[in-house]
Amino acid sequence: MPFNEKSDIHYFGLDWLRFASCLTVVVSHGRDMFFPAWDAVPPEMKNLPLMFFYLLSRLGHEAVIVFLFYQVFSSVEMYSEECSKIISKRRNLRLTELSGFYCH
């Protein structure tokens, strides 16, 4: 399938997963640049929302893996449709060769 054509199949859930993983990576980088490490946070400032923020922003590496898995999945899906068209054309060509249109 050429790059300017769109597939009929679209996975909105996977798009949201890709968005969430990208957002997690951005938050993780932002936390590393603008916030101190969890051990450096004073004990009186450690509360449940801050702990939740640090917990979620720690998942940056895992989010990159999820994002790359999604990219591979979407690429394989796009190229598998193109490959199936090519294989069916080759199969039809072989059938015409066997039927006598083209013999060695």
Side-chain angles (χ1 to χ4, degrees):
M1 169 183 338
F3 286 110
N4 56 0
E5 291 183 17
K6 292 197 174 206
S7 174
D8 293 337
I9 302 171
H10 193 79
Y11 301 99
F12 290 107
L14 290 178
D15 285 342
W16 279 106
L17 184 65
R18 181 173 65 168
F19 171 75
S21 64
C22 290
L23 185 63
T24 303
V25 170
V26 168
V27 168
S28 175
H29 286 301
R31 188 198 79 175
D32 291 341
M33 290 190 319
F34 300 115
F35 289 89
W38 179 253
D39 297 336
V41 175
E44 62 272 2
M45 292 185 67
K46 290 183 179 180
N47 54 20
L48 193 59
L50 188 65
M51 190 178 354
F52 188 68
F53 169 74
Y54 271 82
L55 176 70
L56 286 181
S57 61
R58 191 209 67 76
L59 298 173
H61 295 287
E62 290 84 354
V64 169
I65 292 170
V66 168
F67 178 79
L68 292 176
F69 177 77
Y70 175 79
Q71 289 301 109
V72 168
F73 174 77
S74 61
S75 298
V76 166
E77 178 191 8
M78 182 176 68
Y79 288 114
S80 67
E81 291 176 13
E82 184 65 28
C83 288
S84 66
K85 290 177 186 176
I86 291 171
I87 289 171
S88 66
K89 286 179 184 176
R90 288 182 181 171
R91 188 177 301 133
N92 289 340
L93 180 63
R94 282 192 213 122
L95 289 175
T96 56
E97 289 173 0
L98 293 174
S99 66
F101 289 115
Y102 180 78
C103 296
H104 289 292

